[in-house]
């Protein structure tokens, strides 16, 4: 188990994004040292023991090895400090399906990560958090997305997403690609041709973990369908969307397959295989949150990574970055251990713990009294966060698709990438049918 210590940096780097982070009043080293000393003391005691006889279940969906190790360490420290056990489980790529089953059977974990659905999917199962001290520190950039129309806060945003595509700078340099020249998907494809010609992989996918296919569909769709197109936005929300327009998305993905831009094992490789390929300077782009960059640095500190906005459909339109929940935690309203769960939530929101976890994810904190050391990612947050020429957009499925359609994005994306017969027609038909069925149930 890795020690619960912040990355060795000279100090915290504040992100120049309104509400994302706040400069510390005391030197950053003070907080870091306190957290490190606390964990050193914790580790010296051996395995955490639930001396109270109470163990709470925490189900989380964060998939990187480094982040998962950090979560386990934090839970261990909580047990050492309080005597309350925490069974922290990351069930894999089928997290969403597991949660749906447990909602249907009313057998919910005590605490779980809300992965973008705190309000739309989980609100009726979650306890409002308005009375917690951290509720007064929710960063403005994330507050609206995790609060319902009546002002009820449903999740603790340990960090918050600001996501485009991550890329390996060494690979782009070797291929003669300048990321700042990529403004449209046509520019992106020109870059992919150069990368492919250099004998490297333009787009890395990990289809064994199906969410990587869903990520790609989710990232590409808004740039082609909803960005700067109010008619499509309204139609998706009111149920009148013409699904023949979805051909634009499936044809884009299929064209990349035909041109050989994906890794040859795109369907069978997993997420960490992709991370290792980027870390080894063998692949250029990946459709994943910026937290994926921190995972590449665990594999290879000497590589050079960055993230960029999603390209626009055509010249004259804006590039975009997606914003929303990332590492966000809610508590069940039916938990049998409400007081113990409240202690756990307060522990996660504690400045040293929240800072450590947000730093591990490489993202700005979701609390305005917590500083996340985004380290080598800080220049990219500084570069893009307040650029008015870039759209900040919600995740496509969270905003425009009925609850439950994430799986359709994953399945249809995998079918297209694998080149299955009639996959393009089937992908459009499946999305249309699923959309209409779930929309009718709203």
């Amino acid at each position: 188990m890795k020690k619960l210590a912040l990355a060795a940096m000279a100090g915290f780097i504040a992100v120049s994004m309104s509400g994302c982070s706040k400069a510390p009043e005391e030197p950053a080293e003070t907080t870091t040292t306190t957290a490190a000393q606390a964990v050193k003391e914790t580790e010296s005691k051996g395995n955490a023991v639930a001396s109270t006889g109470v163990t709470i279940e925490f189900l989380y969906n964060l998939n990187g090895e480094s982040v998962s190790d950090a979560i386990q360490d934090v839970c261990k420290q909580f047990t050492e400090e309080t005597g309350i056990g925490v069974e922290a489980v990351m069930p894999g790529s089928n997290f969403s399906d597991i949660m749906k089953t447990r909602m249907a059977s009313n057998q919910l974990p005590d605490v779980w990560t809300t992965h973008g659905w705190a309000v739309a999917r989980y609100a009726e199962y979650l306890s409002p958090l308005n009375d917690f001290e951290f509720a007064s520190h929710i960063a403005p950039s994330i507050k609206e997305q995790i609060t319902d129309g009546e002002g009820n806060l449903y999740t603790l945003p340990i960090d918050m997403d600001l996501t485009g595509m991550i890329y390996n700078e060494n690979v782009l340099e070797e291929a003669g690609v300048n990321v700042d020249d990529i403004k449209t998907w046509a520019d992106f494809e020109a870059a992919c041709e150069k990368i492919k010609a250099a004998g490297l992989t333009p787009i890395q996918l990990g289809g064994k973990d199906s969410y990587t296919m869903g990520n790609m569909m989710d990232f590409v769709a808004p740039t082609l369908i909803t960005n700067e197109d109010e008619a499509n936005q309204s139609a998706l929300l009111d149920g009148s969307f013409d699904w023949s327009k979805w051909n634009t998305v499936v044809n884009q993905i299929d064209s990349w397959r035909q041109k050989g831009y994906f890794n040859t094992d795109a369907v069978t490789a997993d997420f960490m295989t992709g991370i290792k390929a980027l870390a080894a300077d063998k692949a250029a782009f990946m459709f994943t949150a910026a937290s994926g960059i921190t995972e590449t640095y665990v594999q290879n500190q000497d590589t050079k990574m960055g993230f960029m906005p999603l390209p626009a459909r055509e010249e004259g339109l804006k590039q975009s970055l997606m914003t929303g929940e990332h590492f966000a935690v809610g508590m069940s309203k039916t938990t049998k251990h409400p007081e113990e769960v409240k202690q756990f939530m307060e522990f996660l929101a504690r400045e040293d713990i929240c800072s450590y976890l947000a730093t591990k994810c490489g993202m700005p904190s979701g609390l305005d009294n917590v500083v996340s050391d985004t380290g080598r990612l800080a220049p990219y947050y500084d570069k893009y966060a307040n650029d008015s020429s870039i759209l900040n957009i919600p995740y496509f499925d969270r905003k425009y698709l009925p609850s439950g359609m994430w799986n359709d994005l994953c399945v249809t994306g995998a079918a297209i990438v694998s080149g299955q017969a009639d996959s393009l027609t089937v992908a459009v038909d499946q999305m249309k049918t699923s959309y209409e069925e779930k929309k009718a149930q709203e």
Side-chain angles (χ1 to χ4, degrees), residues 164-178:
M165 282 190 292
I166 70 170
Y167 64 87
N168 181 299
E169 189 175 327
N170 291 335
V171 170
L172 297 191
E173 184 176 346
E174 182 177 344
V177 172
N178 182 348

Side-chain angles (χ1 to χ4, degrees), residues 63-181:
N63 51 291
E65 292 176 0
S66 176
V67 174
S68 187
D69 283 351
I71 292 170
Q72 295 293 333
D73 281 341
V74 162
C75 291
K76 177 182 175 183
Q77 182 178 340
F78 174 74
T79 299
E80 290 289 352
E81 291 187 12
T82 66
I84 301 167
V86 181
E87 182 184 2
V89 179
M90 199 286 282
S93 60
N94 59 342
F95 179 91
S96 184
D97 291 336
I98 289 173
M99 283 303 303
K100 288 177 189 175
T101 299
R102 296 189 65 166
M103 284 189 290
S105 63
N106 200 29
Q107 298 292 320
L108 290 162
D110 300 291
V111 193
W112 67 89
T113 51
T114 53
H115 60 107
W117 294 95
V119 176
R121 180 180 300 171
Y122 296 128
E124 65 178 291
Y125 304 97
L126 292 170
S127 178
L129 307 177
N130 301 52
D131 293 337
F132 282 84
E133 192 277 333
F134 63 74
S136 64
H137 291 292
I138 304 299
S141 301
I142 189 71
K143 186 173 184 178
E144 182 178 346
Q145 299 179 49
I146 57 177
T147 307
D148 68 12
E150 298 178 355
N152 292 311
L153 173 70
Y154 285 106
T155 195
L156 161 63
I158 290 171
D159 67 10
M160 57 184 176
D161 230 339
L162 186 67
T163 293
M165 282 190 292
I166 70 170
Y167 64 87
N168 181 299
E169 189 175 327
N170 291 335
V171 170
L172 297 191
E173 184 176 346
E174 182 177 344
V177 172
N178 182 348
V179 73
D180 291 331
D181 293 336

Side-chain angles (χ1 to χ4, degrees), residues 346-418:
E346 291 167 346
F347 179 79
L348 292 178
R350 205 171 77 185
E351 289 187 36
D352 59 327
I353 300 301
C354 187
S355 175
Y356 167 66
L357 291 172
T359 295
K360 276 293 184 179
C361 290
M363 292 184 172
S365 172
L367 302 181
D368 65 13
N369 64 325
V370 173
V371 175
S372 171
D373 181 356
T374 54
R376 292 163 74 173
L377 292 180
Y380 301 95
Y381 289 119
D382 290 342
K383 180 178 180 179
Y384 297 126
N386 297 311
D387 188 340
S388 61
S389 70
I390 296 173
L391 293 173
N392 283 341
I393 62 174
Y395 276 78
F396 182 80
D397 70 303
R398 300 176 188 176
K399 175 71 174 180
Y400 297 112
L401 300 181
S403 178
M405 284 197 67
W406 169 250
N407 187 62
D408 296 295
L409 292 175
C410 297
V411 171
T412 56
I416 296 166
V417 172
S418 66

